[in-house]
Amino acid sequence: ELKVEQNPLFLSMQEGKNYTIYCNYSTTSDRLYWYRQDPGKSLESLFVLLSNGAVKQEGRLMASLDTKARLSTLHITAAVHDLSATYFCAVALTGTASKLTFGTGTRLQVTL
Amino acid sequence: EPEVTQTPSHQVTQMGQEVILRCVPISNHLYFYWYRQILGQKVEFLVSFYNNEISEKSEIFDDQFSVERPDGSNFTLKIRSTKLEDSAMYFCASNLRTNEKLFFGSGTQLSVL
């Protein structure tokens, strides 16, 4: 059974600071996704990472994937209040279509 | 930007009743999904659908659940006899290829009383 763990579960950070969210998964995967969810809202796709060493950046967010370590990171640079949300990683098992197993989520709160 | 639309946004039903949740995926997408999220918990996969048949389903998706694509645009999730534990936000999603991002709808909040 695929298990996906994120840490931390909750992160409070000041504006302007940097931080990293970690996503570990238990078995071989060929796709890893990062999503953002605002309270009461849907899931917004941030990144799709398809290969070992993949790195993608959008604004203040950068995601990377190490398939050998079964680890993905979401790095936040110079956080701003608008980034406050819950961030989920999700993993698809190799050979499956898009049956994603989601992590527990990291609730990010950026304070002024 | 094209989007996945879901109706209704909220559905309240009595235990044992049937509900149908409706979704219109993005028009050129080929793969369709239902996920759910119980309040405060992580998102859980229910079912994937391709070429008019279920391609994968989870343990949650038992005989009480069914999906259908009745025409070229709608994708529905039916729960035959709802239970209290079915209360959750149900998200529909779609994509063109399985290695691309999933586009999620805004969800249907189902409350079973």
Side-chain angles (χ1 to χ4, degrees):
Chain A
E1 181 193 341
L2 173 59
K3 291 192 175 153
V4 182
E5 293 183 349
Q6 284 181 240
N7 69 82
L9 298 182
F10 178 73
L11 176 57
S12 180
M13 56 191 296
Q14 287 183 314
E15 276 202 332
K17 299 291 186 185
N18 304 332
Y19 210 82
T20 301
I21 299 170
Y22 297 88
C23 173
N24 288 92
Y25 53 97
S26 60
T27 55
T28 304
S29 167
D30 56 8
R31 274 161 289 145
L32 190 137
Y33 302 75
W34 283 97
Y35 284 91
R36 168 185 171 142
Q37 186 179 40
D38 292 294
K41 303 289 186 182
S42 187
L43 294 149
E44 176 191 350
S45 177
L46 297 173
F47 303 107
V48 183
L49 302 168
L50 299 177
S51 60
N52 187 42
V55 177
K56 291 198 174 177
Q57 183 163 5
E58 180 80 32
R60 300 174 189 274
L61 300 177
M62 184 173 72
S64 66
L65 178 61
D66 180 344
T67 57
K68 292 178 184 173
R70 296 179 187 160
L71 171 69
S72 179
T73 60
L74 181 67
H75 187 72
I76 302 152
T77 302
V80 292
H81 182 67
D82 285 352
L83 289 179
S84 297
T86 298
Y87 293 84
F88 291 95
C89 65
V91 177
L93 277 176
T94 301
T96 64
S98 284
K99 176 183 174 183
L100 300 185
T101 299
F102 278 76
T104 46
T106 296
R107 192 167 139 236
L108 173 65
Q109 185 176 63
V110 181
T111 57
L112 298 171
Chain B
E1 183 172 278
E3 58 182 25
V4 175
T5 57
Q6 288 185 244
T7 55
S9 56
H10 293 85
Q11 173 92 48
V12 180
T13 190
Q14 296 290 325
M15 191 169 56
Q17 295 295 305
E18 175 183 287
V19 294
I20 297 176
L21 309 183
R22 301 178 192 281
C23 169
V24 179
I26 294 173
S27 61
N28 66 329
H29 284 183
L30 301 176
Y31 296 84
F32 314 113
Y33 313 86
W34 285 99
Y35 284 79
R36 78 174 187 188
Q37 184 178 33
I38 295 171
L39 185 64
Q41 298 186 25
K42 62 181 178 180
V43 180
E44 299 174 295
F45 170 81
L46 293 177
V47 66
S48 60
F49 192 86
Y50 170 71
N51 200 26
N52 280 320
E53 60 183 28
I54 290 173
S55 45
E56 291 171 282
K57 60 182 181 179
S58 71
E59 290 175 355
I60 302 168
F61 194 88
D62 61 22
D63 292 344
Q64 294 300 312
F65 290 85
S66 62
V67 290
E68 196 176 35
R69 188 153 162 84
D71 52 42
S73 59
N74 291 285
F75 180 51
T76 61
L77 175 69
K78 182 193 290 186
I79 309 174
R80 285 192 191 79
S81 178
T82 50
K83 305 182 189 111
L84 296 175
E85 54 265 36
D86 294 329
S87 296
M89 179 73 89
Y90 287 79
F91 291 107
C92 174
S94 69
N95 58 4
L96 179 59
R97 297 178 190 85
T98 57
N99 63 349
E100 295 180 350
K101 66 180 180 181
L102 272 70
F103 290 80
F104 282 82
S106 53
T108 294
Q109 179 65 56
L110 176 65
S111 298
V112 182
L113 305 178

